[in-house]
Structures are given as C-alpha cells and as structure tokens.
Amino acid sequence: MSDQLLECAVVGLGMGEQHARALLQDPRCQLKYVVDFDQSKARKFIEDNHLTDVGIRSFSEVVEDKTINLITLASYDDHHYEQTLQCIKHLKHIFVEKPLCQTLNQLNNIHTHWKDTQVELSSNLVLRKAPLYIWLKDFIQRGELGEIYSFDGDYLYGRVQKITEGWRKDIENYSVMQGGGIHIVDLMLWLTGQKPCSVSSTKNKIATQNTSFRYHDFHSAVFTFPSGLIGRVTANFGCVHRHQHVIRIFGTKGTFLYDDLGPRIYWNRDEEGKPEFLPYAPKPPANQKGALVHNLVDNIMQGKSSANTQREFDLMSVVLAADESMSYVKPLTIEYFTC
Ligand SMILES: NC(=O)c1ccc[n+]([C@@H]2O[C@H](COP(=O)([O-])OP(=O)(O)OC[C@H]3O[C@@H](n4cnc5c(N)ncnc54)[C@H](O)[C@@H]3O)[C@@H](O)[C@H]2O)c1
C-alpha cells in the first residue's frame, strides 16, 4: 500500500468538513467524493474550496465504488454502526466520528466482522492531539506524579441547545456519555495506561426537563481498576457553564488539575503553596480537528495495526458498559474484545 494514493470519501459535512480538510492536506490521499443528505451543503463545500475534481455521491455509491480505499464517517451517531459494517463488508478503511456505535451488541458485531479483515479502523477522539495531554501522558508514564490513585473528569458541554434542538434530540437513545463523556473516558484510559474492570452509574434529567430532549442530560460514572485506581467521570450536558473539560489526576507525588484557570500541577500540601502552571494547549487547534486522519493513514500505509484498533474497541467497551450499568444496582463487569 505504501506508494499508492488513497482514494477517499467523506460522509456528512458538519464535523466531516474537518475530515475533508485533513484529507486535502495529506499528500497520500485524494479526496474523491463527498456525501451529505443536504446536496446544497455538499455543493457549497466544493465551490467554497474550489474542488473541481471532487464529486457528490450517496453513501451506497461510495461504499460500492471499488476505487475508494478510505471512508470517513461524520454522519449522525445512529448511522455510524450500519455504515461502519458496510465499510468493513466492502473492505474500506474507516475513520469514524465518536461514538463508533451505540450498544454492546453492535460493538460485538463490528468486532466479529472486522477481525478477519485487513481494514484499519479509528475514531476521532480529538483530545488525543492536544499538546497538553500528549505531554502529560509521557509525564505520568515516567512516574513524575507518583502512583495514580484517582482520575476525575467532567465534560461540561456548555451547548445545551445542541441537544434541545437539532438532530441529537431526534435519534433513538442519544447518550451524553457516548456524545461527550467519551472524550474524558478516552483520556482516563490513555493517560493512566489502565483499563477499568467495573463501572456503576447514576443519571438525572433536571436541566433539560420540559424540553424536546428525551433522555438524561447528566450521567455520573464510577470506574474501578485492578490496581485500585478509581475513576469518576461525568457527562454534564445541561450545565450553566461554557464548554470546558475539567480533569483532576491525583498521584502520590503530585496533583494535576485542568479547569478554566488553566492546566497546573500542585507539588505540595502547603496552604499558601502555588501550583506550577503548564504551558501546553489543552485542545488541538480549531482547524486541526480532523488531524487524527493522518495517524490512520500512517497505519494503512504500514499494514493492519491491531494495537491502535484495540484502543477503539477498549474505549467503546468502557463507554457502552457505563451506559449499560445504569440499569444495574451492582457494578457491571466490563468485557473487552481482543483484536
Ligand atoms: N470528535 C468531535 O469532537 C466531534 C465534534 C462534533 C461532532 N462530532 C460528531 O460528528 C457527527 C456529526 O455531528 P455534527 O456536529 O457534524 O452534525 P451536523 O448536523 O453539524 O452535520 C452533520 C451533517 O451530516 C449529514 N449527514 C448525517 N448523516 C448522514 C448520512 N447517513 N448520510 C449523508 N449525510 C449525513 C447531515 O445532513 C449534516 O449535513 C456526530 O457523530 C457527532 O458526534 C464529533
């Protein structure tokens, strides 16, 4: 595959515009088609970017087109599962927006169909490209914070109108953990390098009561890990606060905090002690939200990379178990799929 140009299609031109821009910037890729229910949106994207050699097609046309190697999916959440299965069936590499799917049964099916193929699959968890977390991962792995015993993360959405209006309220079983908390769960797994063994959850729907949004808008999950580490993650979609991630990582040598005051580490317990502020950006640049496509293309060029795909299956196992655990009184054991 190494010297072949990858022919690509993008499905859904909201977040998918970022996928398309990343593909246009990657010399190993050729953007051939865009797909959107709204054809005027597709035409506008092509015209605005002077893409005279990009065509407009339907999803079934691109997935059945033998020349297409890579399909990126930024369709609505409840279309990801079927489209991912279709891509696997037609041996297309896949870059899919989060969440990859909506239920554990769907994840099982994707895994079953994917495992004997050479298809590369990755998802767009944009914080993986944030300089702060790339630095912090290495810092934690070197033991600089000591032993990590607690990870707390809050996904403060700050965009409540996106669930009370628009497509999110209309799809079946929209999940705030899959829709936003997933970014924090991904950080928890990646930064600690650990996988939880069980989860229990509670939820409420107070902030969006009497709106068109039908599901819970607040989900609080507690994860236990074999090492004793405890993770607590909330997906808080109704909060009166701007969009913000709040992360607290407690180690035996230091405490990392990130909130609207900025990322910092506390190295002592002094009442007057000042934290060490960190100079790293907590988000990727706004125009780089499709940049993980380049990593997927690296994997395609190098051949099937189970370790990278394992990460996507692990993340979804944890997030979907967190949703499932809301129907259980006792903590739910998390089952993982092995690549
Ligand atoms: N990774 C992130 O940080 C991030 C951020 C925002 C959205 N997203 C994800 O991106 C996806 C789209 O959300 P959005 O905010 O871009 O929505 P959006 O409404 O802004 O855009 C979605 C576009 O996709 C089109 N579309 C949807 N399903 C389609 C299908 N099956 N076939 C053809 N066109 C289709 C719609 O017509 C629309 O133009 C969601 O899964 C969402 O979770 C991810």
Side-chain angles (χ1 to χ4, degrees):
M1 194 86 230
S2 53
D3 46 8
Q4 193 185 322
L5 200 60
L6 290 176
E7 302 205 9
C8 309
V10 173
V11 181
L13 289 172
M15 189 63 178
E17 278 204 24
Q18 298 273 356
H19 300 187
R21 284 183 213 297
L23 293 171
L24 290 165
Q25 285 160 9
D26 196 315
R28 302 165 296 179
C29 298
Q30 185 189 0
L31 179 60
K32 203 166 169 188
Y33 301 124
V34 289
V35 178
D36 200 294
F37 288 145
D38 183 348
Q39 296 251 327
S40 64
K41 207 165 175 178
R43 273 196 298 277
K44 183 169 183 324
F45 177 75
I46 288 172
E47 281 164 23
D48 288 353
N49 293 285
H50 315 291
L51 303 173
T52 47
D53 49 359
V54 173
I56 300 173
R57 294 288 185 277
S58 66
F59 175 74
S60 56
E61 284 170 328
V62 298
V63 85
E64 283 167 21
D65 183 330
K66 290 196 168 34
T67 67
I68 293 294
N69 309 106
L70 164 61
I71 298 184
T72 80
L73 301 173
S75 48
Y76 301 138
D77 291 11
D78 56 341
H79 295 209
H80 296 174
Y81 167 64
E82 283 298 341
Q83 291 185 330
T84 297
L85 276 186
Q86 284 297 312
C87 288
I88 293 171
K89 186 173 155 207
H90 290 88
L91 303 178
K92 310 299 183 196
H93 300 298
I94 307 154
F95 183 70
V96 54
E97 270 306 333
K98 50 78 196 165
L100 168 61
C101 57
Q102 295 179 286
T103 67
L104 285 165
N105 271 346
Q106 292 178 350
L107 187 64
N108 191 6
N109 267 344
I110 290 175
H111 184 260
T112 303
H113 286 87
W114 168 84
K115 67 181 180 341
D116 297 323
T117 70
Q118 293 301 311
V119 165
E120 287 291 341
L121 185 160
S122 81
S123 194
N124 195 23
L125 282 303
V126 292
L127 295 180
R128 295 174 183 178
K129 281 286 186 192
L132 173 66
Y133 298 119
I134 293 169
W135 174 85
L136 187 59
K137 163 77 176 159
D138 182 55
F139 195 71
I140 289 174
Q141 265 188 349
R142 291 203 316 267
E144 304 282 352
L145 287 184
E147 189 176 351
I148 307 300
Y149 62 89
S150 174
F151 177 103
D152 287 1
D154 299 307
Y155 187 83
L156 304 184
Y157 193 45
R159 299 162 181 163
V160 70
Q161 74 285 354
K162 282 200 176 189
I163 56 169
T164 56
E165 296 158 30
W167 61 265
R168 287 170 176 83
K169 71 178 182 349
D170 296 327
I171 69 173
E172 280 307 305
N173 298 319
Y174 183 81
S175 152
V176 292
M177 193 55 85
Q178 295 171 28
I182 189 169
H183 289 289
I184 307 294
V185 174
D186 189 50
L187 284 183
M188 176 175 76
L189 302 190
W190 184 47
L191 294 176
T192 65
Q194 300 184 41
K195 292 198 279 192
C197 47
S198 69
V199 55
S200 53
S201 292
T202 48
K203 64 180 177 185
N204 70 27
K205 178 182 170 51
I206 295 172
T208 62
Q209 61 187 322
N210 304 324
T211 71
S212 309
F213 186 63
R214 293 173 286 160
Y215 306 105
H216 61 273
D217 53 57
F218 184 86
H219 179 162
S220 174
V222 178
F223 301 91
T224 54
F225 291 71
S227 68
L229 166 66
I230 292 174
R232 298 182 297 169
V233 174
T234 66
N236 184 344
F237 271 47
C239 61
V240 181
H241 197 286
R242 67 180 182 202
H243 187 75
Q244 178 73 51
H245 311 135
V246 178
I247 308 286
R248 297 190 300 264
I249 304 174
F250 297 90
T252 49
K253 291 188 196 164
T255 298
F256 167 86
L257 252 74
Y258 172 57
D259 54 23
D260 45 359
L261 290 184
R264 57 203 188 276
I265 296 179
Y266 292 83
W267 289 114
N268 57 58
R269 299 176 174 94
D270 297 348
E271 291 288 335
E272 306 297 324
K274 297 261 189 299
E276 175 188 352
F277 279 88
L278 301 168
Y280 309 106
K283 289 183 192 163
N287 62 356
Q288 293 291 310
K289 289 192 175 162
L292 282 166
V293 162
H294 306 303
N295 298 52
L296 176 73
V297 173
D298 292 344
N299 296 340
I300 295 170
M301 295 297 168
Q302 286 156 19
K304 188 168 172 176
S305 156
S306 311
N308 291 306
T309 313
Q310 181 73 50
R311 183 172 173 187
E312 308 302 350
F313 283 108
D314 288 348
L315 172 64
M316 289 310 300
S317 295
V318 176
V319 167
L320 295 170
D323 271 346
E324 184 95 359
S325 71
M326 284 188 292
S327 339
Y328 289 74
V329 177
K330 289 185 179 166
L332 179 68
T333 300
I334 302 172
E335 310 281 351
Y336 292 96
F337 297 89
T338 312
C339 294

